Amino acid sequence: QELFTDHRISNQHGANVYTANISFTCSGNGAITAIKCGVDEYIREIQFTCSSAERIETFGPFGFLSDRLGEVSCPPGQYISSFLGKVRQYVQLLSIRCRDANTLNGKGTIQSNTIETDDPNGNDFDDLAYSNGARPVSVRLWISDGIDSIQIDYSNQPVERALKTVMVRNEREQQA
């Protein structure tokens, strides 16, 4: 098995209020293709979807329930190549860039839909510099009563070219 040694850990975006954290990694050559969040004045809960040729995996939701949901996802055949947004005490705004599954290079396209809270002010972050020749392979979260901060591990691990199409649903929707 090939070892992928080109790892680039992004800055921790947001406050490090609590040491308790959550992390996950997409299995195999799966890639993050969608994010769903519960929002109000900040992002309170977050769920990630990973896609590969064989399966669609969901991680989360992590955090606390919120009545309003926001969602960003890549078009079919694309994956999240980098994250950008705004942070203060919590993550206030989250957006993504998507890249075609055939490449690890290039900037990717910023998606027009953004997960936006009631108060989308804060300090900007943009992980574009970490993503050339790499992609997000794992995510680490710090959570108190909202998503305090997010940190992404970018690696040169290849992406499966035949990603399954994503229908983002969280546990609350599946139980309804």
Side-chain angles (χ1 to χ4, degrees), residues 91-157:
V91 177
Q92 301 294 127
L93 185 142
L94 194 57
S95 191
I96 59 174
R97 283 187 184 85
C98 295
R99 188 185 294 147
D100 189 77
N102 295 321
T103 184
L104 282 176
N105 295 309
K107 287 172 69 170
T109 304
I110 295 178
Q111 298 304 296
S112 58
N113 52 336
T114 297
I115 296 171
E116 195 165 319
T117 63
D118 294 338
D119 182 7
N121 297 307
N123 299 313
D124 292 331
F125 74 87
D126 188 342
D127 281 356
L128 179 62
Y130 299 98
S131 69
N132 194 31
R135 67 177 178 91
V137 292
S138 66
V139 175
R140 187 174 181 190
L141 303 167
W142 285 259
I143 299 171
S144 59
D145 62 339
I147 307 302
D148 295 317
S149 60
I150 185 169
Q151 184 177 49
I152 298 95
D153 177 5
Y154 292 85
S155 174
N156 63 337
Q157 182 176 341

Side-chain angles (χ1 to χ4, degrees), residues 22-38:
I22 295 169
S23 64
F24 75 90
T25 302
C26 297
S27 62
N29 285 341
I32 304 170
T33 52
I35 302 170
K36 185 172 259 190
C37 294

Side-chain angles (χ1 to χ4, degrees), residues 46-114:
I46 193 165
Q47 173 183 302
F48 296 86
T49 302
C50 295
S51 300
S52 68
E54 298 85 36
R55 70 176 75 104
I56 295 175
E57 298 176 291
T58 302
F59 295 92
F62 305 114
F64 297 88
L65 294 176
S66 182
D67 293 333
R68 201 170 84 228
L69 296 175
E71 175 183 334
V72 290
S73 60
C74 292
Q78 295 187 4
Y79 65 94
I80 295 175
S81 61
S82 65
F83 293 82
L84 58 156
K86 291 185 182 281
V87 293
R88 279 201 321 239
Q89 181 178 349
Y90 302 100
V91 177
Q92 301 294 127
L93 185 142
L94 194 57
S95 191
I96 59 174
R97 283 187 184 85
C98 295
R99 188 185 294 147
D100 189 77
N102 295 321
T103 184
L104 282 176
N105 295 309
K107 287 172 69 170
T109 304
I110 295 178
Q111 298 304 296
S112 58
N113 52 336
T114 297

